[in-house]
Amino acid sequence: MIFDETMRDALAEAKVIAVIGAKDKAGQPVNMVGTYLIDQGYTVIPVHPIRQNVWGLTTYKTIADIPVPVDIVNVFRASQYCADHADEVLELKHTPKMFWMQSGIRSQEAGEKLAANGIAVVEDKCIMVEHSRLGLETK
C-alpha cells in the first residue's frame, strides 16, 4: 500500500516523468494527463513504439532509449504488459523512484519486482487526479 505522503513527496521532488503508451490523441486520458504534467512544469518524456513527436516532444520507442534519468515512470498500457515494463525499468542504469500505473491498471507481478528493488509502486490511480488532490497543482 502506498500512502499519500509517499506520493506527495515523489511528485514534489520529481522533475522528469516518462509516459509509457503516450499518445497525443484528443479526448484520450493519456493526452489529458500528459499535457497536464507538461503544464505543471515537469519534463515529460513520451514513450511509444510507433508514434513520433507526441506533444511536440522527442518520443522514444522504449524506456531504455531515454538518455536521461527518469524520476517517475507513468504507465498507460494494459495490465498484462506491466511486468515486462517493470523488467525494462530494472535494467536502467538509473532506476526511477516510482512506477505509476494509471487508473484501471494493476500488476501484482510488476509491483513485487519493483518494490523488491526499492522502487515505490502506485496502482490504479490517475497521476493527474492525485497530483491535484494532494495540493501540488501550480496552474
Side-chain angles (χ1 to χ4, degrees):
M1 172 179 244
I2 192 146
F3 296 99
D4 283 358
E5 184 177 334
T6 304
M7 287 189 291
R8 184 181 297 108
D9 290 349
L11 288 166
E13 293 170 12
K15 303 282 185 256
V16 180
I17 301 177
V19 179
I20 296 178
K23 292 187 229 177
D24 52 3
K25 190 171 180 184
Q28 295 225 342
V30 67
N31 186 54
M32 292 183 286
V33 170
T35 55
Y36 172 87
L37 293 172
I38 292 165
D39 290 344
Q40 293 303 307
Y42 291 103
T43 298
V44 174
I45 301 177
V47 178
H48 194 283
I50 299 168
R51 293 182 183 265
Q52 298 178 353
N53 300 312
V54 174
W55 305 306
L57 303 170
T58 301
T59 302
Y60 296 90
K61 292 186 182 307
T62 71
I63 192 97
D65 295 331
I66 298 173
V68 297
V70 171
D71 299 310
I72 297 174
V73 172
N74 183 224
V75 182
F76 275 92
R77 299 271 335 267
S79 297
Q80 67 261 30
Y81 301 111
C82 290
D84 289 339
H85 289 305
D87 289 337
E88 292 170 352
V89 164
L90 292 172
E91 294 294 321
L92 296 174
K93 181 178 178 182
H94 301 283
T95 55
K97 295 175 186 167
M98 184 169 278
F99 186 89
W100 193 302
M101 293 175 268
Q102 280 293 129
S103 300
I105 305 170
R106 296 179 162 274
S107 172
Q108 182 173 343
E109 183 182 358
E112 289 172 355
K113 288 178 184 184
L114 295 162
N117 285 277
I119 298 171
V121 177
V122 177
E123 292 182 308
D124 195 23
K125 290 185 184 294
C126 176
I127 196 169
M128 178 178 76
V129 170
E130 295 302 314
H131 185 270
S132 179
R133 182 184 71 80
L134 294 167
L136 297 168
E137 195 167 18
T138 61
K139 297 178 182 180

